[in-house]
Amino acid sequence: MFNYYLRLAWISIIRHWGLSLLMICAIGLGIGTAMTTVTVNYLMSANPIPEKSQQLYYVQLDSWDVNDPFDDGLNPPDQLTYTDASNLMRASKAYRQNIQAQAFGVIEPADPEMLPLIVNGRANSADFFTMFNVPFIYGSGWSQQSDESKELVVVLSKETNDKLFGGENSVGKSIKLEGNMFRIVGVIDQWQPKPRFYDITTGAFNESEDIFVPFHLIADEKISRSGNTNCWKPTGDGFKAFLASECIWTQFWVELKTQQDKEDYLQFLNAYVEEQKQFGRFQRPMDNRLSNVMQWLESQGVVADDAQMMMAMSFMFLLVCLLNTVGLLLAKFLGKAPEIGLRQALGASKATLFNQYIIESACIGILGGILGLLLAYLGLKGVEGLYGDYMKGLASLDINMAILAVSLALFSTILAGLYPTWRACNIQPAQQLKSQ
């Protein structure tokens, strides 16, 4: 029976192809617009490390000016000073901890025909790779012993390894970086968490780094740091004075396995700040925070308000398209009043007519959903072209979004078809037969 209804629906769609095409276009436009904005919001707010996002915590301490609070006093600074991050690192109170900052350098290839490479880097501690589940093609990250003994080691991205070594296993070989020879200990596979949660301050959707080096290289001035830096008092002269200043430019993450571990670590942070107050620092009220990955992304407004507003507006547009579809379905079904009256006179029940026209509505919805998918794809390409590198690789439909688009089209069209179907089922056969 279902196949029979499908055949009747197809015949009706072909016979009234003009009305059907208008409805498919209306639904397709609505679904395409809605899915474009839903996909952008979905990918921007996705959990980049779901397997342990509840165990990774970003550390914030309020070391700012007592007379001019950071972020108008709503939130503590989004980074730490070198002094505080180094002290927390040495205390080693968490299961794992990572101190990090953005860096850059110049690699001088061994091949004299190759030009030097300017690379973006991340200076971090050994736990970075295990904390953030970084995948490796060759080798691994360096050890804590390498951090302590200040070894010159480096981890390369897959792209950098491809450029320098043609994709071969380069572990154990050396590269010349900023004039020093670094031993390669690992090569990372494709790794691009979106959002790039481990450093929001330099762009939530920027590309991951070309190289990774030990954090101590910054203090030893063997590699140059970069990234955002904010200061609320003069730093003094020289790099050592800068390191000892109240400027914030480092990020500090800890891995804590249980809620009790989190509470214990927060107590440790409070005790640390109380101790620092005795040295004349941390003059503002105590406001230490531990935010897990999703809390941190939300607090930093990774999903822009504009994107959420656009999503709301797109659903309103979808609603307008569905209201138009209701009108078109009503005109189409009521236009079949003589045919419906004749079928009822020959014994067709209301249930039979209801099933037939609901299936016809569903077929139109599915066709509209397929058109909507195509329009959403074009819309995402337009967004990617408009925002350039900021949205590169982010604006793309995945299988979940495709299923959601067709399901939304199907459900909304059936909903829109309920009233026209009800009106069609309640046509009086005697009146229709008399009029003929």
Side-chain angles (χ1 to χ4, degrees):
M1 203 65 180
F2 180 73
N3 291 334
Y4 174 67
Y5 289 148
L6 279 179
R7 193 172 63 181
L8 288 180
W10 179 247
I11 292 172
S12 176
I13 289 171
I14 297 297
R15 181 179 298 168
H16 305 279
W17 64 270
L19 274 177
S20 301
L21 185 60
L22 280 175
M23 286 184 279
I24 291 169
C25 289
I27 295 167
L29 279 172
I31 293 295
T33 306
M35 291 312 301
T36 300
T37 56
V38 167
T39 301
V40 171
N41 276 269
Y42 163 72
L43 294 174
M44 290 178 82
S45 60
N47 188 339
I49 184 167
E51 63 274 19
K52 60 194 308 186
S53 62
Q54 297 294 319
Q55 297 178 17
L56 300 176
Y57 292 91
Y58 190 78
V59 177
Q60 289 175 276
L61 306 176
D62 196 348
S63 60
W64 215 243
D65 185 359
V66 64
N67 297 315
D68 186 15
F70 189 89
D71 195 18
D72 295 327
L74 299 175
N75 295 293
D78 54 2
Q79 297 186 101
L80 299 186
T81 65
Y82 175 79
T83 300
D84 293 324
S86 298
N87 287 341
L88 297 183
M89 192 70 196
R90 276 193 292 272
S92 190
K93 293 292 185 181
Y95 174 64
R96 290 190 179 109
Q97 47 267 309
N98 174 56
I99 182 175
Q100 61 174 9
Q102 186 167 284
F104 71 96
V106 176
I107 297 176
E108 299 176 46
D111 186 349
E113 295 186 357
M114 286 185 65
L115 295 174
L117 299 178
I118 300 176
V119 290
N120 292 317
R122 180 145 301 273
N124 51 269
S125 50
D127 281 347
F128 176 91
F129 305 101
T130 48
M131 281 180 70
F132 301 141
N133 289 349
V134 181
F136 279 85
I137 304 175
Y138 307 119
S140 63
W142 57 83
S143 64
Q144 291 189 4
Q145 187 178 358
S146 297
D147 273 341
E148 293 166 1
S149 58
K150 298 189 174 182
E151 292 182 31
L152 298 183
V153 291
V154 63
V155 167
L156 305 181
S157 69
K158 182 178 184 301
E159 291 76 13
T160 307
N161 188 64
D162 289 344
K163 289 178 184 174
L164 295 175
F165 301 100
E168 295 180 354
N169 186 353
S170 59
V171 173
K173 298 180 180 177
S174 298
I175 60 170
K176 194 172 186 179
L177 173 64
E178 293 290 279
N180 297 293
M181 296 305 295
F182 282 70
R183 178 169 56 86
I184 301 169
V185 296
V187 177
I188 292 176
D189 200 353
Q190 294 287 354
W191 184 60
Q192 184 58 66
K194 287 186 182 296
R196 199 183 62 143
F197 65 97
Y198 58 84
D199 187 5
I200 300 296
T201 63
T202 53
F205 301 103
N206 285 358
E207 295 291 320
S208 58
E209 291 75 5
D210 302 312
I211 60 167
F212 297 81
V213 295
F215 184 80
H216 66 79
L217 295 175
I218 289 182
D220 295 342
E221 296 188 77
K222 287 189 170 66
I223 194 165
S224 302
R225 69 169 197 89
S226 59
N228 289 334
T229 302
N230 292 293
C231 307
W232 63 272
K233 62 191 300 187
T235 62
D237 296 329
F239 191 64
K240 287 187 177 179
F242 171 75
L243 293 180
S245 72
E246 294 295 339
C247 294
I248 53 171
W249 55 275
T250 68
Q251 304 93 48
F252 196 82
W253 286 87
V254 291
E255 182 175 344
L256 306 169
K257 288 193 167 183
T258 65
Q259 182 64 26
Q260 184 61 49
D261 291 342
K262 178 189 174 185
E263 292 173 4
D264 291 344
Y265 198 80
L266 195 55
Q267 287 184 5
F268 159 70
L269 291 179
N270 293 338
Y272 169 75
V273 170
E274 286 291 351
E275 182 184 73
Q276 292 297 310
K277 283 178 180 291
Q278 297 175 11
F279 299 113
R281 302 182 64 222
F282 291 90
Q283 296 298 306
R284 287 188 44 73
M286 189 88 73
D287 189 10
N288 305 320
R289 297 188 189 180
L290 287 172
S291 306
N292 65 34
V293 173
M294 297 310 290
Q295 289 170 339
W296 175 238
L297 296 178
E298 184 178 353
S299 70
Q300 293 299 294
V302 171
V303 181
D305 292 341
D306 290 351
Q308 293 179 334
M309 186 176 294
M310 287 295 292
M311 185 172 69
M313 291 176 66
S314 69
F315 272 99
M316 291 175 66
F317 180 69
L318 174 61
L319 181 61
V320 171
C321 292
L322 289 176
L323 289 175
N324 282 318
T325 304
V326 171
L328 292 169
L329 280 172
L330 198 58
K332 183 178 183 182
F333 289 169
L334 293 184
K336 297 180 179 180
E339 176 188 330
I340 293 171
L342 181 60
R343 290 188 60 191
Q344 286 181 315
L346 294 174
S349 65
K350 288 185 178 181
T352 300
L353 293 170
F354 184 86
N355 291 335
Q356 176 188 335
Y357 290 119
I358 279 295
I359 287 175
E360 183 174 338
S361 301
C363 290
I364 291 171
I366 291 173
L367 293 173
I370 294 171
L371 177 62
L373 271 179
L374 176 63
L375 294 176
Y377 173 78
L378 296 175
L380 289 172
K381 288 298 177 188
V383 170
E384 192 173 279
L386 184 64
Y387 288 93
D389 291 340
Y390 179 75
M391 298 295 291
K392 185 179 179 182
L394 180 65
S396 58
L397 278 172
D398 61 16
I399 186 65
N400 293 328
M401 289 294 100
I403 292 173
L404 177 63
V406 176
S407 301
L408 181 62
L410 180 62
F411 175 75
S412 56
T413 311
I414 289 176
L415 199 63
L418 286 178
Y419 177 67
T421 303
W422 177 79
R423 286 288 304 274
C425 293
N426 283 281
I427 289 173
Q428 297 299 321
Q431 186 178 358
Q432 295 299 324
L433 292 174
K434 191 183 296 182
S435 66
Q436 294 180 53

